[in-house]
Amino acid sequence: MKLFVWDLHGVLERGNDRAVVDISNEVLSTFGYAQRFGYEDGRRLYGHKWYEYFATLLPAESHRRHLELQDACFILSEERPELQYRWMTPTPHVATVLSAVAASHQQIVISNTRPGTLDMFLKLLDLTDHFVPGRAFAVDQHVRDVKTTKRDVLACYLTGQPSFDEIVIIGDSASDMRLVEVAGGTTYLFAHPDFAFRNCNADFRIRDLRRVLDRI
């Protein structure tokens, strides 16, 4: 049996980059700022921590204020989920690929999001059957000094698990690709057709999730 390790944002879904812009602009308005993000900014900054968006747009403001704006974004996204629903949809072929993997192997998702919102995202994307409790992990990366990383989560998960024939890692960032350092494996760097690949090492670079079926 193999273990497939999935990232969520930018891999299993598309559109969150636009939702982040809408939410950020709502918060900027509430706080009285005239500056706004465009959707091109969302694409350019996607993958950064949310407070780093504000650090880019409002460089004269303090780190504390950037964190305040970030916290307001998290609250707004939880209070008004329609801002997420407007744009976020499953990546093409997600259901087919996840079902094929589940038929013979084990899979988990490790997402750089807060625990309070991961369930919301999985329900929105109709992924809850594939990632039941114990197979879905949220890692809050939206702080300067991260306490728990994706590497920590994967290492902990593997403890006590039977030995897997192979670990297959599918993500869109350098930190995802570095998960191979935990226990080896094969890495797939994914990017949607309108996004550039991140500058990092990977065994394969793909724009269609069905390429992952080669590992089954």
Side-chain angles (χ1 to χ4, degrees):
M1 178 181 289
K2 300 181 181 181
L3 174 66
F4 287 70
V5 182
W6 296 93
D7 177 42
L8 177 64
H9 289 306
V11 177
L12 297 178
E13 63 79 30
R14 60 181 178 180
N16 190 51
D17 57 299
R18 287 177 171 253
V20 166
V21 167
D22 288 352
I23 294 167
S24 298
N25 286 341
E26 290 266 357
V27 167
L28 287 167
S29 177
T30 300
F31 276 71
Y33 290 102
Q35 296 92 330
R36 296 292 185 271
F37 293 104
Y39 291 132
E40 285 301 317
D41 296 317
R43 185 176 301 175
R44 175 174 56 87
L45 294 169
Y46 198 65
H48 286 71
K49 298 173 182 179
W50 212 333
Y51 74 80
E52 292 175 334
Y53 283 57
F54 294 110
T56 300
L57 186 69
L58 306 169
E61 296 286 12
S62 67
H63 178 60
R64 180 176 179 179
R65 173 44 64 96
H66 298 152
L67 290 177
E68 289 174 350
L69 293 167
Q70 172 182 263
D71 288 342
C73 287
F74 283 129
I75 293 170
L76 182 61
S77 64
E78 292 172 5
E79 290 180 345
R80 294 181 56 192
E82 72 273 9
L83 294 172
Q84 302 279 354
Y85 297 166
R86 179 183 179 187
W87 294 114
M88 194 182 300
T89 59
T91 296
H93 314 299
V94 159
T96 298
V97 173
L98 293 182
S99 295
V101 171
S104 304
H105 305 289
Q106 191 168 310
Q107 56 192 343
I108 62 175
V109 61
I110 310 176
S111 174
N112 286 335
T113 190
R114 303 204 307 181
T117 57
L118 179 56
D119 286 345
M120 180 183 76
F121 290 139
L122 293 177
K123 290 175 183 176
L124 167 63
L125 298 168
D126 197 24
L127 300 178
T128 52
D129 288 344
H130 295 291
F131 300 110
V132 297
R135 301 282 178 89
F137 304 95
V139 180
D140 188 358
Q141 295 278 303
H142 299 280
V143 292
R144 177 173 285 176
D145 299 316
V146 175
K147 304 301 182 185
T148 302
T149 67
K150 284 189 171 186
R151 289 175 55 133
D152 297 329
V153 170
L154 179 57
C156 182
Y157 182 80
L158 291 174
T159 301
Q161 291 285 334
S163 179
F164 292 103
D165 298 326
E166 182 182 20
I167 297 176
V168 182
I169 298 159
I170 312 97
D172 67 344
S173 69
S175 62
D176 292 326
M177 300 301 98
R178 286 195 296 269
L179 289 177
V180 73
E181 298 171 4
V182 174
T186 303
T187 53
Y188 284 81
L189 182 66
F190 178 81
H192 288 290
D194 50 347
F195 280 73
F197 284 107
R198 301 285 174 79
N199 184 21
C200 59
N201 294 325
D203 294 312
F204 301 97
R205 294 172 178 250
I206 62 172
R207 293 190 181 276
D208 187 326
L209 290 183
R210 289 174 296 182
R211 288 279 308 279
V212 176
L213 297 178
D214 294 344
R215 307 315 297 181
I216 293 180

